Amino acid sequence: MARIVIVSFRLGGTDGVAIESAKWTGALATLGHSVRTVAGEGIADVQIPGLAINATTSTSIQALETALADADLVIVENLASLPLNLDARDVLYHVLEGRARSFITTTCRGNVRTSPTWKVRERAGTGTTSRSTNCLD
C-alpha cells in the first residue's frame, strides 16, 4: 500500500485540524496504508520545530526533505492555506515542487475541496499532480 505523510503546524491536540488529521490517519491506516505524521509541535511521528505556528527558528529544508522522502502521497493540513508561518510554507513548497509524487493541500476547515477554487498543476512527463486551495479563496 501507499506511504502517506500528513504534515501540519501542530498535530495531536483538540483543535479542528488535529481532529481531522487523526481521522485521516485512522481511515488511511484502516485501508492498509502506512501513515506518518510531521508537525512543528504537538504529537507527531516527526517533529520539525520550524513548522510550528510561532516558530523561533527557520524550517530545515533537509529535515523536511528527509521526513517526506519516501512518501507516495503528502497531505498538507493548513500549513499552506493559512499565512501563519510563511517560512514553513515556502520551505514546504520548495520541497514538494520537485516531487514526482502527488500531494494534497486541505483547507482551514480540514476538508479537501473539489470546487473551482482548486488550483491544479500537472507537470508534463512527471506524473505529478498537485492540488492546493486557500481558506481565503
Side-chain angles (χ1 to χ4, degrees), residues 3-19:
R3 294 167 301 215
I4 301 171
V5 175
I6 297 175
V7 62
S8 188
F9 297 118
R10 173 182 58 229
L11 294 172
T14 58
D15 60 279
V17 169
I19 291 168

Side-chain angles (χ1 to χ4, degrees), residues 3-119:
R3 294 167 301 215
I4 301 171
V5 175
I6 297 175
V7 62
S8 188
F9 297 118
R10 173 182 58 229
L11 294 172
T14 58
D15 60 279
V17 169
I19 291 168
E20 291 301 317
S21 296
K23 288 180 190 177
W24 276 102
T25 301
L28 293 166
T30 297
L31 293 170
H33 300 291
S34 168
V35 182
R36 183 173 61 244
T37 56
V38 177
E41 59 186 326
I43 301 169
D45 299 317
V46 177
Q47 285 209 351
I48 301 173
L51 294 176
I53 290 171
N54 295 314
T56 58
T57 61
S58 294
T59 306
S60 166
I61 292 173
Q62 183 178 5
L64 193 55
E65 284 177 339
T66 300
L68 304 181
D70 66 344
D72 297 310
L73 173 67
V74 177
I75 299 173
V76 182
E77 285 282 2
N78 270 6
L79 204 142
S81 64
L82 293 175
L84 300 175
N85 181 338
L86 299 180
D87 174 70
R89 181 204 62 195
D90 293 345
V91 169
L92 177 68
Y93 284 169
H94 172 79
V95 170
L96 292 177
E97 185 62 34
R99 293 182 57 83
R101 297 187 178 116
S102 295
F103 62 92
I104 298 171
T105 304
T106 65
T107 70
C108 60
R109 290 166 212 71
N111 56 348
V112 176
R113 297 194 299 185
T114 57
S115 69
T117 58
W118 280 94
K119 299 172 188 97

